[in-house]
Amino acid sequence: MDNTRSTITMELPLSRGAGSEADPPLWHDSTEQNLVEHMARFEVNPYEWFREVALFVSGSGWRAYEKVTGQPVFYSGYTEKIKSGIMASPMLQRMLAELTGKRLEVEEQEHLLDRTSPTFETDKVKRQDEIISSLREATNTMIDNMVCKMESKYFIRSAYYMATQLLTRAYHQGIYVDRQEIDRLRSYADLAAKQKRSIIFLPCHKSHLDYVSLQLICYRLGFTLPVVVAGDNLNFPLVGTFLQHAGAMWIRRSFDKDPLYITLVQAYIDTLLQNGYNFECFIEGTRSRTGKLLGPRFGILSFLLDSVITGRTEDAYICPVSSQYDKVIEVNSYVSELLGQPKQKENLSGFLSASSVLTLKLGRVDVRFHEPWSLKDFIKSQELRPSHAPNQGSVERSKEVRSRMLRTLGYKVLSDINAVSVVMPTALVGTILLTLRGRGVGRSELIRRVDWLCGRIQAKGGKVAHFHGAPTGYVVDRALEVLGPSLVGIVEGVAEQTFYAVDRFQMSFYRNMTIHLFISEALIAAAMYTRVKQGGGPAIQRMVQSELTDQVTFLSQLFRGEFIFPAGEGLAANLERAVAGLQADDVIEVFTGYEGKTYAGLTDIERQRGRENYDFYCFLIWPFIEAAWLGAVSLMCLTPPSAAEVDIWIDMKKAQDSAQLLGKTLYHQGDLSYFEAVNKESLKNAYSRFAEEGIIVVATNKDSRAGPTMRLSPDWTPRRDGQTGALLLQGRLWDFTEKIAKCRREGKNRRDGATVSTRVLSMANKLGLALFEDMISSRTAPNEPLVAPKKVQRRSKL
């Protein structure tokens, strides 16, 4: 690929540009057109500022938001209509009656109602009316706190103007969308409006600004604004009221098994879908602190599925959405949280202090829309699968089928988001800077490798943000400007302009935006590294293909909860496709040896170019392998000091804090190559996989305020030396840890006989003893577990 590569797609920016009262056409042939009117600044041009404010106040042209595609919103009486629909829900009425009956039973058992009294029936009816009245009052209060209140077009015009002013000051190059995707979305919006069906937007979540960008797009295009599910942690004074009137639906962060609240949320969602109102929910449930997609959260998704699968709603259209940023405002705070610092609670003062970032030049935002698809058709397709067929066997079987369908739905949405995601220039540069050997890279080499990466992304079916034929050098310079000196440094006093990563942890956020495209290739490279790192000639470094397949399968299972793998025929097909791609790129070769075995090894061409492409894939996955290895080593901390402590359960949060402390120590002592491996998100994912595979047993405390506890499964618990008490280098956990370690990047201990040195085990043992001492001192019932173990989901394949 040369520096004048052609554009991939036609894009359209929602950026600040010239506008007029005549409202120019939205699209121009083969050119970009501003989707949002130029927002003048009062201090620069007060006349233009007053003119634009007047246009919004009067509702000139599209600003009026009158002829929307979809069901009408922003009119007086909208909120009362929604409230009435919720209260009329049969399921909510049944729940209120059920709770009333249970309360009456309790009062009878406690003799608050005297059955021997001649007025018992009258008293019971009176008490029943009191209870249901109280429940209705409480329900109305919860509804009022929850529902969005889209009542005024004057308000939404002002909100749109203000939000656009703020967002385009921070992202000064605008919000970009794809022309073909918008045309397709418009056709689905027309169809949904005719059928009175909802479009359910399911975006990924990288920033709080995600709430704003999709609303701005829908407003400018004249679509019914979606009701946006938002956690009530954002419902603080002034800001909460503003967002609720702009479309936010407030829900608790935890429902605490509250049957009334759960039913209320379902009734609200049913009401919206039955009336064809658009809906928006972040599929990951929270903002990604690592840059890549998180696993799906199934709470709201289960409500949506239940609404259609039960027939309460006829159908709805699912629209996965990808939002990508040149630079994410919150990355600094994300790094702090990943290193274990408590998340700062949202409040007005924090919001106002964060507003200073809106004066920064953070580049642009790219929003991409997957083709919408029918939720009802998805359900039918799943019911045709033997393992998903409905009404088979017991109630437990039906729940299992529903759970599988929900999981499939969640991961299909994530796969669709990855399919339309755009790789931003900052992600290109960040990826290259973190996948090269050496301290830095010259500008010419950086441009060459970015060109190569763009070609690989396109070959994999991915999309790269483009600049209408601008040379790669321009794109690189622009990315470096946006990343700034806090992330990318320049080496002074050298013959060529040379760049290096200043904050590799923070830069990893942008590198992780590309890893989903190359995860299969990265796992193959890591598996082959078990031989490549031995050095020597090609005969020593080659690997029997069956061994390669076994190691890749092991790593795929290990990272099942960490990455969103390509949707398709499964691991074998993905592996075969990735191997074929690496062969076509002259990275590896597959051949039959003289003894008839099939081998995989690096090509001579790849060796001649210094393994740069092979190393690229290794560098992508190594930080995650380090994190998994750290997680496995930290399990050594859970080894009971003696037989007397075998039944002690360890607080999971304390165990993960101890794992982070272990990781930081090992990093600074040279036994861990990547500091980002100590991030709590990867450790949490690792612990989840360990629980699924039966390596640890996780239990839920009876006290809902306390977190889960854990301990090693008996057959995974390491043994200790009978005399010294030292951990022995043997057993299932040791073998498991060693299997991960085979793929680790070689470091200062590469010549040690044991990958996990005695020094590392000694440190793990030291932290483990402190962990047990802490739990023993806080234990309330000696020799009794404080918890009831969860059911292990599935036995180990690792």
Side-chain angles (χ1 to χ4, degrees), residues 688-698 713 789-796:
S688 295
R689 290 295 296 124
F690 299 156
E692 289 177 3
E693 300 299 337
I695 301 174
I696 58 175
V697 180
V698 179
S713 297
K790 287 183 177 179
K791 179 182 177 182
V792 176
Q793 297 181 9
R794 140 186 190 287
R795 297 305 297 172
S796 176

Side-chain angles (χ1 to χ4, degrees), residues 367-410:
V367 180
R368 294 291 184 268
F369 298 87
H370 193 277
E371 181 175 4
W373 38 271
S374 161
L375 181 53
K376 186 176 183 178
D377 288 348
F378 166 82
I379 293 169
K380 288 181 178 178
S381 70
Q382 293 300 301
E383 289 176 343
L384 293 175
R385 299 173 61 181
S387 61
H388 286 50
N391 301 322
Q392 292 185 5
S394 63
V395 174
E396 288 74 17
R397 167 64 180 165
S398 297
K399 289 181 179 179
E400 181 184 348
V401 169
R402 182 76 63 90
S403 178
R404 288 183 181 178
M405 189 180 296
L406 181 62
R407 182 178 177 84
T408 303
L409 174 62

Side-chain angles (χ1 to χ4, degrees), residues 132-417:
I132 197 146
S133 176
S134 176
L135 282 173
R136 286 182 181 277
E137 183 179 351
T139 302
N140 275 313
T141 299
M142 286 192 287
I143 291 175
D144 189 65
N145 292 332
M146 180 187 298
V147 301
C148 70
K149 301 175 180 180
M150 298 191 283
E151 290 278 329
S152 169
K153 284 191 172 65
Y154 291 108
F155 171 82
I156 197 59
R157 291 172 196 161
S158 302
Y160 175 88
Y161 176 81
M162 185 173 69
T164 307
Q165 273 274 20
L166 294 175
L167 191 140
T168 53
R169 288 188 182 210
Y171 292 95
H172 62 296
Q173 293 173 340
I175 306 175
Y176 282 67
V177 292
D178 181 79
R179 173 178 182 172
Q180 293 180 345
E181 291 176 1
I182 292 299
D183 287 344
R184 183 176 63 197
L185 181 60
R186 190 183 295 281
S187 66
Y188 274 94
D190 290 335
L191 177 63
K194 291 176 183 177
Q195 298 173 332
K196 201 177 180 180
R197 291 179 183 170
S198 306
I199 295 179
I200 300 171
F201 295 99
L202 297 176
C204 59
H205 199 12
K206 287 187 169 63
S207 169
H208 279 317
L209 291 178
D210 294 333
Y211 292 103
V212 178
S213 57
L214 186 56
Q215 296 289 84
L216 292 181
I217 292 171
C218 288
Y219 185 97
R220 180 61 184 92
L221 295 174
F223 298 158
T224 297
L225 293 191
V227 174
V228 185
V229 178
D232 59 5
N233 57 304
L234 293 175
N235 188 13
F236 48 87
L238 298 182
V239 173
T241 302
F242 175 87
L243 293 175
Q244 191 172 23
H245 283 79
M249 160 191 172
W250 298 122
I251 62 167
R252 300 173 187 168
R253 302 296 290 180
S254 173
F255 292 2
D256 292 326
K257 297 182 180 180
D258 182 339
L260 178 57
Y261 193 81
I262 292 171
T263 305
L264 183 58
V265 173
Q266 182 70 74
Y268 185 19
I269 290 175
D270 285 353
T271 301
L272 293 173
L273 300 188
Q274 289 164 2
N275 289 277
Y277 291 109
N278 292 341
F279 189 80
E280 178 184 349
C281 171
F282 295 108
I283 183 70
E284 300 157 284
T286 186
R287 292 169 293 161
S288 170
R289 270 70 172 171
T290 61
K292 62 181 181 60
L293 283 181
L294 305 177
R297 293 287 182 91
F298 298 109
I300 296 298
L301 209 59
S302 67
F303 290 125
L304 297 170
L305 181 65
D306 192 70
S307 187
V308 176
I309 205 171
T310 59
R312 296 194 302 270
T313 299
E314 178 64 25
D315 197 6
Y317 292 103
I318 301 291
C319 183
V321 182
S322 167
S323 297
Q324 302 295 330
Y325 296 79
D326 260 334
K327 195 171 186 179
V328 173
I329 290 176
E330 300 101 321
V331 169
N332 276 330
S333 65
Y334 290 169
V335 171
S336 298
E337 291 176 34
L338 290 174
L339 287 175
Q341 294 183 20
K343 178 178 177 290
Q344 295 297 313
K345 185 177 180 180
E346 286 82 359
N347 53 54
L348 184 59
S349 62
F351 176 81
L352 294 175
S353 63
S355 65
S356 61
V357 302
L358 298 177
T359 62
L360 301 176
K361 293 185 177 181
L362 302 176
R364 79 186 207 187
V365 184
D366 277 64
V367 180
R368 294 291 184 268
F369 298 87
H370 193 277
E371 181 175 4
W373 38 271
S374 161
L375 181 53
K376 186 176 183 178
D377 288 348
F378 166 82
I379 293 169
K380 288 181 178 178
S381 70
Q382 293 300 301
E383 289 176 343
L384 293 175
R385 299 173 61 181
S387 61
H388 286 50
N391 301 322
Q392 292 185 5
S394 63
V395 174
E396 288 74 17
R397 167 64 180 165
S398 297
K399 289 181 179 179
E400 181 184 348
V401 169
R402 182 76 63 90
S403 178
R404 288 183 181 178
M405 189 180 296
L406 181 62
R407 182 178 177 84
T408 303
L409 174 62
Y411 280 96
K412 173 176 170 52
V413 172
L414 292 178
S415 181
D416 287 349
I417 290 173

